Amino acid sequence: MAVTIKTAEEVALMREAGRLAAEVLEMIEPYVTTGISTGELDRICHDYIVNVQQAIPAPLNYNGFPKSICTSVNYVICHGIPSDTQLLKQGDIINIDITVIKDGLHGDTSKMFLIGDVAPHAEKLVRITQECLYKAIDIVRPGITLGDIGHIIQQYAESNHYSVVREYCGHGIGRIFHEEPQVLHYGTPNSGLKIEEGMTFTIEPMINAGTRHTKLSRKDGWTVTTRDRRLSAQWEHTLAVTGDGCEVLTRRKEEQF
Ligand code: MF3
Ligand code: CO
Ligand code: CO
């Protein structure tokens, strides 16, 4: 299956799916505090998506994933499984990743939350990672390449002495959760696929404080951690390429664009 170009009607449906995914992140924020379990966060999001939004939480049963959201705490890079025994504590950083399906189309977005007072180095990792995403979004328009996106993220992360995770990447999205192309968060300018109007994809940099190397849990088959157990951060948006730039389909109220 090649890269799909979405019709205006499909983009309109993705705008709705994206809005719903963003609203889940806004809804959950007041709950993301010391003492709550990631399992409870999952239940609250699940019930909101299903009962209020009348949408589908895409992760649930996706390739056997057991929960409705991903919760990735501290040295977990991505695909953390919510658990009733994992309680958030002061100083943690957590990524919550929400994907909803509405009218057959997907919206996929994640953000970092800081639990109480967080060490300055952790706060900085979270901020630089968000800036990696924003710098990439800034350059997206028809005519640039996927390599340009990867390069700007890698450049900024590495100039801050961080590393870019290579085994996991952004992705085309639409009627299918993960479709072509792969959107790498490292790369060479002016290389790779040329971006065209009507493409829809995510950018979701995973940036490590230490080395870029990852480790997949042999126990649950999902949880991805840093090999060196140093911190990792991630932010994600779903974009639609327009005639002269892009639309951030998962924009939250707190964001400008
Ligand atoms: N939302 C993740 C992404 O950004 C994918 C999660 S797949 C799951 O692509 F199965 F772990 F939920
Ligand atoms: Co994604
Ligand atoms: Co996601």
Side-chain angles (χ1 to χ4, degrees):
M1 195 54 198
V3 175
T4 59
I5 300 295
K6 273 68 178 183
T7 64
E9 291 72 25
E10 286 173 315
V11 173
L13 291 173
M14 289 191 67
R15 188 175 290 121
E16 185 60 17
R19 186 177 66 81
L20 294 178
E23 284 178 1
V24 177
L25 288 177
E26 293 174 332
M27 178 279 300
I28 200 65
E29 180 176 52
Y31 297 97
V32 188
T33 53
T34 313
I36 197 165
S37 71
T38 53
E40 184 66 18
L41 294 173
D42 175 72
R43 270 189 296 280
I44 296 166
C45 290
H46 173 94
D47 291 351
Y48 189 79
I49 292 166
V50 170
N51 299 322
V52 178
Q53 298 186 329
Q54 306 204 297
I56 299 165
L60 187 59
N61 301 319
Y62 178 80
N63 294 152
F65 191 78
K67 296 287 179 178
S68 295
I69 67 173
C70 296
T71 51
S72 301
V73 178
N74 294 338
Y75 61 84
V76 176
I77 296 171
C78 63
H79 304 166
I81 303 174
S83 153
D84 290 341
T85 59
Q86 181 184 40
L87 306 185
L88 297 183
K89 58 181 196 306
Q90 163 103 279
D92 284 345
I93 62 171
I94 178 176
N95 175 279
I96 300 183
D97 193 336
I98 304 291
T99 311
V100 306
I101 309 170
K102 182 73 172 182
D103 295 328
L105 287 136
H106 291 74
D108 186 8
T109 185
S110 78
K111 67 171 283 188
M112 299 297 298
F113 297 86
L114 308 175
I115 308 304
D117 290 320
V118 162
H121 70 90
E123 206 162 334
K124 183 178 174 194
L125 174 67
V126 167
R127 175 174 59 82
I128 298 291
T129 304
Q130 184 179 34
E131 288 170 4
C132 283
L133 172 59
Y134 286 175
K135 283 175 184 289
I137 289 172
D138 259 350
I139 64 165
V140 174
R141 61 175 169 77
I144 72 151
T145 65
L146 287 179
D148 294 329
I149 293 174
H151 176 75
I152 199 164
I153 292 167
Q154 181 178 19
Q155 194 316 109
Y156 192 60
E158 291 180 355
S159 73
N160 282 282
H161 311 288
Y162 298 143
S163 63
V164 177
V165 169
R166 301 207 176 193
E167 292 88 346
Y168 304 89
C169 59
H171 49 92
I173 184 169
R175 296 190 184 277
I176 297 170
F177 192 169
H178 295 105
E179 59 181 43
E180 283 181 53
Q182 294 197 56
V183 180
L184 304 182
H185 303 115
Y186 60 94
T188 311
N190 210 3
S191 73
L193 183 74
K194 194 189 279 190
I195 301 296
E196 292 173 40
E197 182 172 4
M199 287 181 178
T200 53
F201 56 87
T202 73
I203 304 178
E204 48 184 299
M206 285 146 273
I207 305 298
N208 293 352
T211 72
R212 67 177 178 82
H213 299 288
T214 67
K215 187 173 154 215
L216 177 63
S217 167
R218 282 187 294 169
K219 225 169 157 177
D220 66 31
W222 281 102
T223 307
V224 180
T225 60
T226 58
R227 261 196 190 278
D228 60 13
R229 297 215 163 196
R230 292 182 66 189
L231 294 177
S232 187
Q234 179 178 30
W235 294 77
E236 174 176 26
H237 273 309
T238 298
L239 316 178
V241 180
T242 61
D244 64 351
C246 71
E247 179 179 348
V248 180
L249 300 176
T250 47
R251 186 178 73 84
R252 297 180 301 281
K253 288 188 191 74
E254 70 202 32
E255 296 177 305
Q256 314 299 329
F257 306 121

